[in-house]
Amino acid sequence: MQEIIEKIENAKNLDEIEKIRVELFGKKGVITAGFARLKDIPNEEKKAFAENLNIQRDTFNARILEKKEILEKEFIKSKMKSDGVDITLFNEPLSSGAIHPVMATMDKIIEYFVAQNFSVETGPLIEDDFHNFEALNLPKYHPARDMQDTFYLKDFRLLRTHTSPVQVRTMLKEKPPIRMIAPGSVFRRDLDLTHTPMFHQVEGLVVEDESKVSFANLKYILEDFLRYMFGDVKVRFRPSFFPFTEPSTEVDISCIFCGGKGCRVCKQTGWLEVLGSGVVDPNVFKAVGYKNVSGYAFGLGVERFAMLLHQIPDLRSLFEGDIRLLEQFK
Ligand code: PHE
């Protein structure tokens, strides 16, 4: 009996203790066998034999349970040590990402127009001559093409120089009325403080039955939009030229830095140019086969808006991926 107790005491792990338990109490176990033999024991010895067997059974059982509990605790302890996560490991909070200021500005612009029932349209970045120029009233060899410094591909396709081709694609795909914006990236061969070869525009187009929309609708919505973006500013429509609109206007807001008094940012003029717009030229409607309609269109540079909203002096810094710049926009 002492021998078995020692064996239990010396068990090193749960497997060993289980083995001992089976040796004693399993189907072929010593104690099990003892009870099986009971019926063959002569009557006068039976009582003592059974008593002894009961004591052995209870003792071993108790010792096994005791030892098992100890080994289980040890097992859990060592498992925690090897598998456990050290929750004290990071004592500095992990920094989380943020939306890029250009995308955040774009989202804000899109939100306004979606709330005004504009649909959001997209088009390919690689365009052809027809959609980027020709259908927009810039026939081949038209001098106005010089306004756009274009990246051409070998096969004369090109990287779109503005989002206006999405106007053309949407009109070819759908019937009037149309009320759409087209946000997306555009490309021009240009690089300085205020230009990068890739930048973003949001285009807008509204087409209705003839004489249903006019310059007045354009003026109203752009004024409302610019106050939503920049707060309480004055808005000025300045005559300009785009081949695809007639009349065309460039739109200025009173300088948000000096309030219109004149400063370095507005070059002492008191005004900041923020977008181009106009009444859709009849030649554009002709190119897409629209008849008896009227419409207006506008286009804006998202980076320009972001620069003004966040007072970013160098446009190029937005695309350098410098975490120190981006961290300021969390
Ligand atoms: N596509 C013009 C540009 O890139 C902007 C514009 C769009 C002007 C629509 C008028 C109407 O400069």
Side-chain angles (χ1 to χ4, degrees):
M1 183 148 158
Q2 194 52 37
E3 203 182 310
I4 292 177
I5 288 176
E6 261 168 39
K7 210 171 157 190
I8 293 171
E9 284 314 310
N10 292 334
K12 282 190 227 35
N13 54 46
L14 289 166
D15 283 346
E16 271 184 45
I17 210 86
E18 176 60 12
K19 221 170 113 199
I20 297 168
R21 193 193 64 78
V22 172
E23 276 168 16
L24 295 171
F25 299 110
K27 250 190 200 155
K28 291 178 185 156
V30 188
I31 303 291
T32 318
F35 280 107
R37 262 173 55 209
L38 205 55
K39 61 179 187 324
D40 304 326
I41 305 276
N43 272 343
E44 59 275 18
E45 288 170 35
K46 210 175 231 168
K47 194 173 172 232
F49 186 89
E51 251 170 28
N52 190 24
L53 208 53
N54 279 338
I55 290 171
Q56 286 190 13
R57 181 195 59 197
D58 293 345
T59 312
F60 295 153
N61 215 353
R63 290 301 181 102
I64 285 175
L65 285 177
E66 237 170 64
K67 186 69 185 175
K68 220 172 150 176
E69 203 175 312
I70 294 167
L71 288 172
E72 261 164 7
K73 274 188 190 149
E74 271 172 19
F75 174 75
I76 289 171
K77 229 185 190 168
S78 78
K79 189 101 180 132
M80 296 244 283
K81 231 183 193 161
S82 63
D83 296 3
V85 175
D86 181 356
I87 57 161
T88 65
L89 201 56
F90 297 103
N91 54 11
E92 272 174 45
L94 286 171
S95 64
S96 59
I99 295 184
H100 192 281
V102 173
M103 287 304 125
T105 306
M106 186 117 118
D107 287 347
K108 194 172 171 191
I109 296 167
I110 293 171
E111 257 168 45
Y112 173 86
F113 287 105
V114 166
Q116 304 286 337
N117 263 327
F118 281 69
S119 68
V120 178
E121 307 291 339
T122 54
L125 305 187
I126 297 178
E127 267 296 1
D128 52 43
D129 202 80
F130 174 76
H131 293 92
N132 196 81
F133 293 127
E134 198 137 355
L136 291 162
N137 198 31
L138 279 112
K140 286 198 175 69
Y141 311 114
H142 189 289
R145 285 196 184 185
D146 288 347
M147 285 165 65
Q148 321 258 12
D149 291 303
T150 310
F151 287 108
Y152 281 97
L153 278 71
K154 283 201 183 97
D155 55 5
F156 291 106
R157 287 186 302 161
L158 48 88
L159 299 184
R160 68 179 184 192
T161 57
H162 50 181
T163 41
S164 303
V166 187
Q167 287 190 31
V168 177
R169 287 185 179 275
T170 308
M171 286 193 282
L172 287 172
K173 194 174 68 185
E174 270 153 47
K175 287 200 208 65
I178 283 183
R179 198 172 169 82
M180 58 152 271
I181 53 166
S185 34
V186 301
F187 307 85
R188 289 183 202 175
R189 303 168 58 136
D190 224 343
L191 184 63
D192 61 32
L193 264 187
T194 51
H195 297 88
T196 49
M198 186 280 301
F199 62 103
H200 299 82
Q201 290 188 331
V202 176
E203 188 85 10
L205 173 71
V206 171
V207 183
E208 294 267 4
D209 285 345
E210 202 158 24
S211 71
K212 260 202 175 167
V213 283
S214 67
F215 192 83
N217 303 103
L218 169 68
K219 192 161 181 273
Y220 171 80
I221 199 157
L222 289 182
E223 277 177 1
D224 190 54
F225 164 65
L226 290 169
R227 297 213 174 96
Y228 156 85
M229 289 302 289
F230 295 106
D232 189 19
V233 288
K234 277 192 228 130
V235 180
R236 173 173 92 168
F237 288 74
R238 200 162 27 77
S240 183
F241 173 77
F242 297 103
F244 30 91
T245 48
E246 181 60 37
S248 304
T249 60
E250 275 173 315
V251 184
D252 302 337
I253 55 170
S254 53
C255 181
I256 52 175
F257 300 103
C258 63
K261 283 201 240 10
C263 68
R264 225 174 49 97
V265 184
C266 63
K267 300 198 183 92
Q268 311 305 328
T269 63
W271 295 96
L272 299 165
E273 184 197 319
V274 288
L275 51 82
S277 66
V279 172
V280 179
D281 192 292
N283 282 339
V284 176
F285 288 141
K286 212 184 273 171
V288 297
Y290 274 19
K291 285 196 186 95
N292 306 324
V293 290
S294 56
Y296 64 79
F298 54 87
L300 62 89
V302 181
E303 279 76 5
R304 172 124 180 100
F305 275 54
M307 280 178 90
L308 293 174
L309 286 172
H310 300 296
Q311 308 191 26
I312 299 165
D314 185 344
L315 182 61
R316 292 168 297 194
S317 66
L318 285 172
F319 300 115
E320 280 165 357
D322 189 330
I323 196 94
R324 290 168 302 181
L325 176 111
L326 300 175
E327 270 177 340
Q328 296 172 51
F329 295 97
K330 275 187 192 165

